[in-house]
Coordinates of all heavy atoms in Angstrom, one line a residue:
Chain B
K45 N -46.5 -53.4 -2.4 CA -45.9 -52.1 -2.5 C -47.0 -51.0 -2.4 O -46.8 -50.0 -1.7 CB -45.2 -52.0 -3.9 CG -43.9 -51.2 -3.9 CD -43.3 -51.2 -5.3 CE -42.5 -49.9 -5.5 NZ -42.2 -49.7 -6.9
A46 N -48.1 -51.3 -3.0 CA -49.2 -50.3 -2.9 C -49.7 -50.2 -1.4 O -50.0 -49.1 -1.0 CB -50.4 -50.8 -3.8
K47 N -49.8 -51.3 -0.7 CA -50.2 -51.3 0.7 C -49.2 -50.5 1.5 O -49.6 -49.6 2.4 CB -50.2 -52.7 1.3 CG -51.6 -53.3 1.2 CD -51.5 -54.7 1.9 CE -52.7 -55.5 1.5 NZ -52.5 -57.0 1.7
T48 N -47.9 -50.8 1.3 CA -46.9 -50.1 2.1 C -47.0 -48.6 1.8 O -46.9 -47.7 2.8 CB -45.5 -50.6 1.6 OG1 -45.5 -52.0 1.8 CG2 -44.4 -50.0 2.5
F49 N -47.2 -48.2 0.6 CA -47.3 -46.8 0.2 C -48.5 -46.1 0.9 O -48.4 -45.0 1.5 CB -47.4 -46.6 -1.3 CG -47.3 -45.2 -1.8 CD1 -46.1 -44.6 -2.0 CD2 -48.5 -44.5 -2.0 CE1 -46.1 -43.2 -2.4 CE2 -48.5 -43.2 -2.5 CZ -47.3 -42.6 -2.7
A50 N -49.6 -46.8 0.9 CA -50.8 -46.3 1.5 C -50.6 -46.1 3.0 O -51.0 -45.0 3.5 CB -52.0 -47.3 1.2
T51 N -50.0 -47.0 3.6 CA -49.8 -46.9 5.1 C -48.8 -45.8 5.3 O -49.1 -44.9 6.2 CB -49.2 -48.2 5.6 OG1 -50.0 -49.3 5.2 CG2 -49.0 -48.2 7.1
A52 N -47.7 -45.7 4.6 CA -46.7 -44.7 4.8 C -47.2 -43.3 4.6 O -46.8 -42.3 5.2 CB -45.5 -44.9 3.9
N53 N -48.2 -43.2 3.8 CA -48.8 -41.9 3.5 C -50.1 -41.6 4.2 O -50.8 -40.6 3.9 CB -49.0 -41.7 2.0 CG -47.6 -41.5 1.3 OD1 -47.1 -40.4 1.3 ND2 -47.0 -42.6 0.8
G54 N -50.4 -42.5 5.2 CA -51.6 -42.3 6.0 C -52.9 -42.3 5.3 O -53.9 -41.6 5.6
Y55 N -53.0 -43.1 4.2 CA -54.3 -43.2 3.5 C -55.3 -43.7 4.4 O -55.1 -44.6 5.2 CB -54.1 -44.1 2.3 CG -53.4 -43.5 1.1 CD1 -52.8 -42.3 1.1 CD2 -53.3 -44.2 -0.1 CE1 -52.2 -41.7 0.0 CE2 -52.7 -43.7 -1.2 CZ -52.1 -42.5 -1.2 OH -51.5 -41.9 -2.3
Q56 N -56.6 -43.3 4.2 CA -57.7 -43.8 5.0 C -58.0 -45.2 4.5 O -57.6 -45.7 3.4 CB -58.9 -42.9 4.7 CG -58.7 -41.5 5.2 CD -60.1 -40.8 5.2 OE1 -60.8 -40.8 4.2 NE2 -60.4 -40.1 6.3
Q57 N -58.7 -46.0 5.4 CA -59.0 -47.4 5.2 C -59.9 -47.5 3.9 O -59.8 -48.6 3.2 CB -59.8 -47.9 6.4 CG -59.0 -48.2 7.6 CD -58.0 -49.3 7.4 OE1 -58.2 -50.2 6.6 NE2 -56.8 -49.2 8.1
S58 N -60.6 -46.5 3.6 CA -61.5 -46.6 2.5 C -60.8 -46.6 1.1 O -61.4 -46.9 0.1 CB -62.5 -45.4 2.5 OG -61.8 -44.2 2.5
V59 N -59.5 -46.2 1.1 CA -58.8 -46.1 -0.2 C -58.5 -47.5 -0.7 O -58.0 -48.4 0.1 CB -57.4 -45.3 0.0 CG1 -56.6 -45.4 -1.2 CG2 -57.7 -43.9 0.4
K60 N -58.9 -47.8 -1.9 CA -58.7 -49.1 -2.4 C -57.3 -49.3 -2.9 O -56.6 -48.4 -3.4 CB -59.6 -49.3 -3.6 CG -61.1 -49.6 -3.2 CD -61.8 -50.4 -4.2 CE -62.8 -49.4 -4.9 NZ -63.6 -50.0 -5.9
I61 N -56.8 -50.5 -2.6 CA -55.4 -50.9 -2.9 C -55.4 -51.8 -4.1 O -56.1 -52.9 -4.1 CB -54.7 -51.6 -1.7 CG1 -55.0 -50.9 -0.4 CG2 -53.2 -51.8 -2.0 CD1 -54.3 -49.5 -0.3
H62 N -54.7 -51.4 -5.2 CA -54.7 -52.3 -6.4 C -53.3 -52.8 -6.6 O -52.3 -52.1 -6.5 CB -55.1 -51.5 -7.6 CG -56.5 -51.0 -7.6 ND1 -57.6 -51.9 -8.0 CD2 -57.1 -49.9 -7.2 CE1 -58.7 -51.2 -7.9 NE2 -58.5 -50.0 -7.4
G63 N -53.2 -54.1 -6.9 CA -51.9 -54.7 -7.1 C -51.4 -54.7 -8.6 O -50.5 -55.4 -8.9
S64 N -52.2 -54.0 -9.4 CA -51.7 -53.9 -10.8 C -52.3 -52.6 -11.4 O -53.3 -52.1 -10.9 CB -52.2 -55.1 -11.7 OG -53.6 -55.0 -11.9
Y65 N -51.7 -52.1 -12.4 CA -52.2 -50.9 -13.1 C -53.5 -51.2 -13.8 O -54.5 -50.4 -13.8 CB -51.2 -50.3 -14.1 CG -49.9 -50.0 -13.4 CD1 -48.7 -50.2 -14.1 CD2 -49.8 -49.4 -12.2 CE1 -47.4 -49.8 -13.6 CE2 -48.6 -49.1 -11.6 CZ -47.4 -49.3 -12.3 OH -46.2 -49.0 -11.7
E66 N -53.6 -52.4 -14.4 CA -54.9 -52.8 -15.0 C -56.1 -52.7 -14.1 O -57.1 -52.2 -14.5 CB -54.8 -54.2 -15.5 CG -53.9 -54.5 -16.8 CD -52.4 -54.7 -16.4 OE1 -52.1 -54.5 -15.2 OE2 -51.6 -54.9 -17.3
S67 N -55.8 -53.1 -12.9 CA -56.9 -53.2 -11.9 C -57.4 -51.8 -11.5 O -58.7 -51.6 -11.5 CB -56.4 -53.9 -10.6 OG -57.2 -53.7 -9.5
I68 N -56.6 -50.8 -11.4 CA -57.1 -49.5 -11.0 C -57.8 -48.9 -12.2 O -58.8 -48.1 -12.0 CB -55.9 -48.5 -10.5 CG1 -56.5 -47.4 -9.7 CG2 -55.0 -48.0 -11.6 CD1 -55.5 -46.5 -8.9
L69 N -57.4 -49.2 -13.4 CA -58.1 -48.7 -14.6 C -59.6 -49.2 -14.6 O -60.5 -48.5 -15.1 CB -57.5 -49.2 -15.9 CG -56.1 -48.7 -16.3 CD1 -55.7 -49.2 -17.6 CD2 -56.1 -47.2 -16.3
E70 N -59.9 -50.3 -14.0 CA -61.2 -50.9 -14.1 C -62.0 -50.5 -12.8 O -63.2 -50.9 -12.7 CB -61.1 -52.4 -14.1 CG -60.6 -52.9 -15.5 CD -60.1 -54.3 -15.5 OE1 -60.4 -55.1 -14.5 OE2 -59.4 -54.7 -16.4
D71 N -61.4 -49.8 -11.9 CA -62.1 -49.4 -10.7 C -63.2 -48.3 -11.0 O -62.9 -47.2 -11.4 CB -61.1 -48.8 -9.7 CG -61.7 -48.6 -8.3 OD1 -62.9 -48.4 -8.2 OD2 -60.9 -48.7 -7.3
P72 N -64.5 -48.7 -10.8 CA -65.5 -47.7 -11.2 C -65.6 -46.5 -10.2 O -66.3 -45.5 -10.5 CB -66.8 -48.6 -11.1 CG -66.4 -49.7 -10.1 CD -65.0 -49.9 -10.3
D73 N -64.9 -46.6 -9.0 CA -65.0 -45.6 -8.1 C -63.8 -44.6 -8.2 O -63.5 -43.8 -7.3 CB -65.0 -46.2 -6.6 CG -66.2 -47.0 -6.4 OD1 -67.3 -46.6 -7.0 OD2 -66.1 -48.1 -5.8
V74 N -63.2 -44.6 -9.3 CA -62.1 -43.7 -9.6 C -62.4 -42.9 -10.8 O -62.8 -43.4 -11.9 CB -60.8 -44.5 -9.9 CG1 -59.7 -43.6 -10.5 CG2 -60.2 -45.2 -8.6
D75 N -62.4 -41.5 -10.6 CA -62.8 -40.6 -11.7 C -61.5 -40.3 -12.5 O -61.6 -40.1 -13.7 CB -63.3 -39.3 -11.2 CG -64.6 -39.4 -10.3 OD1 -65.5 -40.1 -10.8 OD2 -64.6 -38.9 -9.2
A76 N -60.4 -40.2 -11.8 CA -59.2 -39.6 -12.5 C -58.0 -40.3 -11.9 O -58.0 -40.8 -10.8 CB -59.1 -38.1 -12.2
L77 N -56.9 -40.3 -12.7 CA -55.7 -41.0 -12.3 C -54.6 -39.9 -12.3 O -54.4 -39.2 -13.2 CB -55.3 -42.1 -13.2 CG -56.2 -43.3 -13.1 CD1 -56.0 -44.3 -14.3 CD2 -56.0 -44.1 -11.7
Y78 N -53.8 -40.0 -11.2 CA -52.5 -39.3 -11.2 C -51.5 -40.3 -11.6 O -51.3 -41.3 -10.9 CB -52.3 -38.7 -9.8 CG -50.8 -38.2 -9.6 CD1 -50.3 -37.2 -10.4 CD2 -50.0 -38.8 -8.7 CE1 -49.0 -36.8 -10.3 CE2 -48.7 -38.4 -8.5 CZ -48.2 -37.4 -9.3 OH -46.9 -37.0 -9.2
I79 N -50.7 -40.0 -12.6 CA -49.8 -41.0 -13.2 C -48.3 -40.4 -13.1 O -47.9 -39.6 -13.9 CB -50.1 -41.3 -14.7 CG1 -51.6 -41.7 -14.8 CG2 -49.1 -42.3 -15.2 CD1 -52.0 -42.1 -16.2
P80 N -47.6 -40.9 -12.1 CA -46.2 -40.5 -11.9 C -45.3 -41.6 -12.4 O -44.1 -41.7 -11.9 CB -46.1 -40.3 -10.4 CG -47.0 -41.3 -9.8 CD -48.1 -41.6 -10.8
L81 N -45.7 -42.4 -13.3 CA -44.8 -43.5 -13.8 C -43.6 -43.0 -14.6 O -43.7 -41.8 -15.1 CB -45.7 -44.4 -14.8 CG -46.9 -45.2 -14.2 CD1 -47.7 -45.9 -15.3 CD2 -46.4 -46.1 -13.1
P82 N -42.6 -43.8 -14.8 CA -41.5 -43.4 -15.6 C -42.0 -42.9 -17.0 O -43.0 -43.5 -17.5 CB -40.6 -44.6 -15.7 CG -41.0 -45.4 -14.5 CD -42.4 -45.1 -14.2
T83 N -41.3 -41.9 -17.5 CA -41.8 -41.3 -18.8 C -42.0 -42.3 -19.9 O -43.0 -42.1 -20.7 CB -40.8 -40.2 -19.2 OG1 -40.4 -39.4 -18.1 CG2 -41.3 -39.4 -20.3
S84 N -41.2 -43.3 -20.0 CA -41.3 -44.2 -21.2 C -42.6 -45.0 -21.1 O -43.1 -45.6 -22.1 CB -40.1 -45.2 -21.2 OG -40.1 -45.9 -20.0
L85 N -43.2 -45.0 -19.9 CA -44.5 -45.8 -19.7 C -45.7 -44.9 -19.9 O -46.9 -45.4 -20.0 CB -44.6 -46.4 -18.3 CG -43.4 -47.4 -18.0 CD1 -43.6 -48.0 -16.6 CD2 -43.3 -48.5 -19.0
H86 N -45.5 -43.6 -20.1 CA -46.7 -42.7 -20.2 C -47.6 -43.0 -21.4 O -48.8 -43.1 -21.2 CB -46.2 -41.2 -20.3 CG -45.7 -40.7 -19.0 ND1 -45.4 -39.4 -18.8 CD2 -45.4 -41.3 -17.8 CE1 -45.0 -39.1 -17.6 NE2 -45.0 -40.3 -17.0
V87 N -46.9 -43.2 -22.5 CA -47.8 -43.4 -23.7 C -48.7 -44.6 -23.6 O -49.9 -44.5 -23.9 CB -46.9 -43.5 -25.0 CG1 -46.0 -44.7 -25.1 CG2 -47.8 -43.4 -26.3
E88 N -48.2 -45.7 -23.0 CA -49.1 -46.9 -22.9 C -50.2 -46.6 -21.8 O -51.4 -46.8 -22.1 CB -48.3 -48.1 -22.4 CG -49.2 -49.3 -22.2 CD -48.5 -50.5 -21.7 OE1 -47.2 -50.5 -21.6 OE2 -49.2 -51.5 -21.3
W89 N -49.8 -46.2 -20.7 CA -50.7 -46.1 -19.6 C -51.7 -44.9 -19.6 O -52.8 -45.0 -19.1 CB -50.0 -46.3 -18.2 CG -49.5 -47.7 -18.1 CD1 -48.2 -48.1 -18.2 CD2 -50.2 -48.9 -17.8 NE1 -48.1 -49.4 -18.1 CE2 -49.3 -49.9 -17.8 CE3 -51.6 -49.1 -17.6 CZ2 -49.7 -51.3 -17.6 CZ3 -52.0 -50.4 -17.4 CH2 -51.1 -51.5 -17.4
A90 N -51.2 -43.8 -20.2 CA -52.1 -42.7 -20.3 C -53.2 -43.0 -21.3 O -54.3 -42.7 -21.1 CB -51.3 -41.4 -20.6
I91 N -52.8 -43.7 -22.4 CA -53.8 -44.0 -23.4 C -54.8 -45.0 -22.8 O -56.0 -44.9 -23.0 CB -53.1 -44.6 -24.7 CG1 -52.4 -43.4 -25.4 CG2 -54.1 -45.3 -25.6 CD1 -51.6 -43.9 -26.6
R92 N -54.3 -46.0 -22.1 CA -55.2 -47.0 -21.5 C -56.1 -46.3 -20.5 O -57.3 -46.7 -20.3 CB -54.4 -48.1 -20.9 CG -53.7 -49.0 -22.0 CD -52.9 -50.1 -21.4 NE -53.7 -51.2 -20.8 CZ -53.3 -52.4 -20.4 NH1 -52.0 -52.7 -20.7 NH2 -54.1 -53.3 -19.9
A93 N -55.6 -45.4 -19.7 CA -56.4 -44.6 -18.8 C -57.5 -43.9 -19.5 O -58.7 -43.9 -19.1 CB -55.5 -43.7 -17.9
A94 N -57.1 -43.2 -20.6 CA -58.1 -42.5 -21.3 C -59.2 -43.4 -21.9 O -60.4 -43.1 -21.8 CB -57.5 -41.7 -22.5

Side-chain angles (χ1 to χ4, degrees):
Chain B
K45 218 176 150 198
K47 263 186 200 161
T48 306
F49 185 85
T51 308
N53 287 278
Y55 282 7
Q56 294 191 313
Q57 288 294 330
S58 57
V59 173
K60 282 203 253 179
I61 313 291
H62 294 278
S64 75
Y65 301 144
E66 286 84 354
S67 166
I68 200 170
L69 291 184
E70 289 161 16
D71 190 331
D73 299 323
V74 167
D75 298 312
L77 289 167
Y78 167 61
I79 306 182
L81 296 175
T83 312
S84 61
L85 302 181
H86 285 189
V87 65
E88 176 183 355
W89 292 103
I91 289 174
R92 290 178 70 168

